[in-house]
Amino acid sequence: MEWLRIPSAPERKRSKITKSPFYFFMMSKKTEWEEAGRWSPKKTMEDLVHATFPIWKVNQQEDPEFMAPFVEMHRRWKTEQMGDLENKYDSLGRPLADIEREMARQRKKVMDMEKEVEETVMKAKKRGSLNKTLFYVGYFNYLCKTDQGFYIPCEGAVVEFSLEKGISRCWQEFLSPLDSIPIGYKYKCIQSSRVTHNLTPEFEHYQTDYSKIMDSLVMFLGGGDSLPPLYVMPDHMDTADCITQFIINKSSSKLNFKIFSLSKLLQELGHYPSIHIAQALMEEDRYSHHAGLGCQFHESLSNPHHCSLSICKRMFFTLASSCSNLYRLHLKPGRHLPPDQVEENLASQLQITSLSYVREERINRKVPTPGGVTSVPAQFDPKLMVTDKSKESTSPTKNDEDFPNPPVTNICLAKSTGAIPKTSHNPFRARDVREKPSVAKTRATHVKSVQGWGDNIRLL
């Protein structure tokens, strides 16, 4: 029997030179200078580094987008060094080539989005109508996120605003999850809703007709074949993209929603040098606990903090306050700021008793109720708390006769061990509930006890 000899793959010689983005910049400058006759082939790589590094540093500080083409060259070179990605897989069995293509698609999507936001602001500035330009801020609540990355919808809201007039219109709807809740996820939905928006899968006011939802939202955005973008926070873009796509699929519509970054919009409006500064300002959420911003349901529950409508309004209020000095905005309550006075709707508060919702009454359900165990300080001396008035005055006064001094006895306290000491001379010892009180004491006083941890039960 002869063994088959399978030739092994030839070993590839790895290049010792790490081609960073700066390396590709050097090579491009070298080619440019050689064509212009400004560079001699006899010069070394070290000479090229000293000649190009000052130019690289200056361009990097003046134009942050200067490095983009060289970073892309470095990424392609790194991909080529890894070899054939079609036959290589990650720990989950996904081809590395598919992962690389998805990352390239996401990068292109972000670049196109940022470019469109910049062009929108620039065109409005050239027309001189930036203060009157309408923008739309959106937020979507969800019951929970599945293991497949799907966000089960339950509520959505969109706010129309301009820098000059502030909030002009609002759209809010309770989105029915329909059949999108997988088996076994109901407890997870209730667990998440309990501490957030309080909506349950059985909520009675869900809108189940997604054709009406789509028509009302499209009409709110102005109609037409090309809808304006919805601006959301960067960490909410995946959620908004998933839920808006769910609305499109259920309504069988051919329109598409564009989900853009609200932080990028603030960066362009406020002329901030970095998107991270704009995002830090948006994350402050300085109006998070103002009442009167949410829908009637969440206002009735005194929980507008997690309402989609309230979140949309607060995001615009934060944006307006960040741009007020630059554009000299006159901030008006109810338009650019929360309203000064909030009218309580008692009728809506009475109606929520017949609705299905979950609510967490306690601050933290995981914290146990404390028991009746206490401790006595080891250094405590009861003699210091007793005042001997006989030494102060020889003749008793009227107050002294009415309130005589208590007798002083020698008390030996046990050391504190984290529980009530069980000594016969301890005046602070709690009575054990297992002791049978006398009949006279039982008739004279009725003492209520509270069950706690440990053998000794503290009496109230």
Side-chain angles (χ1 to χ4, degrees):
M1 180 179 180
E2 294 183 359
W3 295 95
L4 296 176
R5 292 185 177 182
I6 301 176
S8 58
E11 296 183 0
R12 297 181 180 179
K13 295 182 179 180
R14 296 184 178 180
S15 176
K16 296 181 180 180
I17 301 176
T18 302
K19 297 182 180 181
S20 63
F22 177 65
Y23 172 84
F24 292 100
F25 172 74
M26 287 193 306
M27 293 297 104
S28 63
K29 278 296 181 183
K30 180 181 179 182
T31 304
E32 179 184 345
W33 290 343
E34 285 179 348
E35 293 177 356
R38 297 169 51 191
W39 189 260
S40 175
K42 296 181 180 180
K43 292 185 178 181
T44 61
M45 182 67 73
E46 186 177 356
D47 297 334
L48 183 60
V49 171
H50 289 300
T52 55
F53 184 74
I55 305 175
W56 169 270
K57 200 70 176 177
V58 172
N59 292 337
Q60 188 178 7
Q61 294 176 354
E62 293 179 354
D63 185 13
E65 302 296 333
F66 159 74
M67 294 178 56
F70 305 107
V71 171
E72 185 63 27
M73 293 180 186
H74 166 71
R75 187 178 291 111
R76 292 176 183 174
W77 171 81
K78 194 172 182 180
T79 303
E80 293 175 358
Q81 292 296 112
M82 295 176 65
D84 185 15
L85 298 182
E86 296 290 347
N87 297 322
K88 291 185 177 180
Y89 306 90
D90 65 349
S91 59
L92 299 178
R94 301 173 298 180
L96 296 182
D98 293 346
I99 297 176
E100 183 64 26
R101 283 191 288 267
E102 179 63 22
M103 291 175 62
R105 188 185 69 83
Q106 292 292 340
R107 287 193 298 268
K108 185 178 183 302
K109 182 179 179 181
V110 172
M111 291 176 62
D112 294 342
M113 179 267 295
E114 293 180 349
K115 184 178 179 181
E116 186 169 345
V117 174
E118 294 172 0
E119 292 178 352
T120 301
V121 176
M122 189 180 300
K123 290 179 181 178
K125 284 182 179 179
K126 289 182 179 179
R127 295 193 305 265
S129 60
L130 182 59
N131 289 359
K132 299 180 181 180
T133 304
L134 296 177
F135 299 97
Y136 297 89
V137 176
Y139 190 86
F140 297 89
N141 271 323
Y142 57 94
L143 294 177
C144 73
K145 180 183 177 182
T146 64
D147 295 338
Q148 289 74 26
F150 177 75
Y151 297 88
I152 303 174
C154 64
E155 185 187 15
V158 181
V159 166
E160 180 188 73
F161 73 91
S162 64
L163 293 178
E164 182 180 2
K165 295 183 179 181
I167 295 178
S168 54
R169 294 187 302 159
C170 300
W171 178 89
Q172 187 265 347
E173 191 63 77
F174 294 108
L175 309 175
S176 173
L178 298 181
D179 56 349
S180 62
I181 303 179
I183 298 176
Y185 275 87
K186 187 174 180 179
Y187 171 74
K188 191 174 181 180
C189 294
I190 296 177
Q191 187 182 30
S192 175
S193 301
R194 187 188 300 273
V195 294
T196 53
H197 46 69
N198 307 132
L199 297 172
T200 61
E202 297 84 9
F203 185 64
E204 288 82 2
H205 286 213
Y206 280 137
Q207 175 60 265
T208 57
D209 191 350
Y210 273 85
S211 298
K212 293 182 179 179
I213 296 176
M214 187 68 182
D215 294 340
S216 63
L217 183 55
V218 170
M219 187 180 300
F220 178 82
L221 296 176
D225 298 334
S226 180
L227 299 177
L230 297 177
Y231 291 92
V232 300
M233 290 297 290
D235 57 349
H236 192 68
M237 293 183 68
D238 292 340
T239 305
D241 194 14
C242 176
I243 294 180
T244 52
Q245 190 62 42
F246 180 80
I247 296 174
I248 293 172
N249 295 338
K250 293 300 180 180
S251 62
S252 302
S253 177
K254 297 181 180 179
L255 298 176
N256 289 320
F257 294 102
K258 292 184 290 186
I259 308 298
F260 285 0
S261 172
L262 185 60
S263 301
K264 180 63 179 177
L265 178 62
L266 177 58
Q267 180 191 4
E268 296 301 320
L269 292 176
H271 303 291
Y272 293 106
S274 173
I275 191 175
H276 302 291
I277 300 176
Q279 185 169 348
L281 292 174
M282 292 300 304
E283 289 175 352
E284 287 182 0
D285 198 6
R286 62 192 72 174
Y287 306 104
S288 59
H289 293 90
H290 278 265
L293 301 178
C295 63
Q296 291 185 0
F297 172 73
H298 288 103
E299 289 292 340
S300 302
L301 292 178
S302 300
N303 184 26
H305 179 73
H306 294 95
C307 177
S308 295
L309 184 59
S310 174
I311 294 174
C312 290
K313 292 181 179 180
R314 283 160 19 210
M315 286 192 293
F316 165 68
F317 293 158
T318 304
L319 184 143
S321 61
S322 302
C323 300
S324 59
N325 294 332
L326 180 61
Y327 295 96
R328 299 179 180 178
L329 302 177
H330 178 61
L331 302 182
K332 303 176 183 178
R335 294 283 185 169
H336 303 86
L337 295 172
D340 294 335
Q341 298 180 354
V342 180
E343 298 180 358
E344 295 184 0
N345 191 350
L346 299 179
S348 61
Q349 294 183 4
L350 296 176
Q351 291 175 2
I352 65 170
T353 56
S354 60
L355 300 180
S356 299
Y357 65 92
V358 289
R359 187 175 181 181
E360 182 51 68
E361 300 293 345
R362 291 177 54 183
I363 297 176
N364 192 345
R365 301 171 65 242
K366 304 300 180 183
V367 177
T369 304
V373 179
T374 183
S375 62
V376 179
Q379 305 298 330
F380 178 73
D381 189 1
K383 295 180 180 180
L384 299 178
M385 305 299 296
V386 179
T387 304
D388 190 2
K389 294 186 178 180
S390 61
K391 297 180 180 180
E392 298 179 2
S393 61
T394 56
S395 60
T397 61
K398 184 178 181 181
N399 294 334
D400 294 337
E401 293 177 357
D402 295 338
F403 304 99
N405 294 329
V408 180
T409 56
N410 294 329
I411 299 175
C412 181
L413 292 178
K415 228 174 186 180
S416 173
T417 58
I420 301 176
K422 297 181 180 180
T423 58
S424 59
H425 299 290
N426 183 14
F428 305 97
R429 183 177 67 88
R431 184 179 64 82
D432 197 329
V433 294
R434 293 172 294 184
E435 299 177 1
K436 295 182 178 180
S438 61
V439 179
K441 291 184 179 180
T442 306
R443 293 177 179 177
T445 58
H446 299 276
V447 181
K448 296 182 180 180
S449 62
V450 179
Q451 186 177 2
W453 297 337
D455 294 336
N456 294 319
I457 308 301
R458 191 174 182 180
L459 303 179
L460 299 180

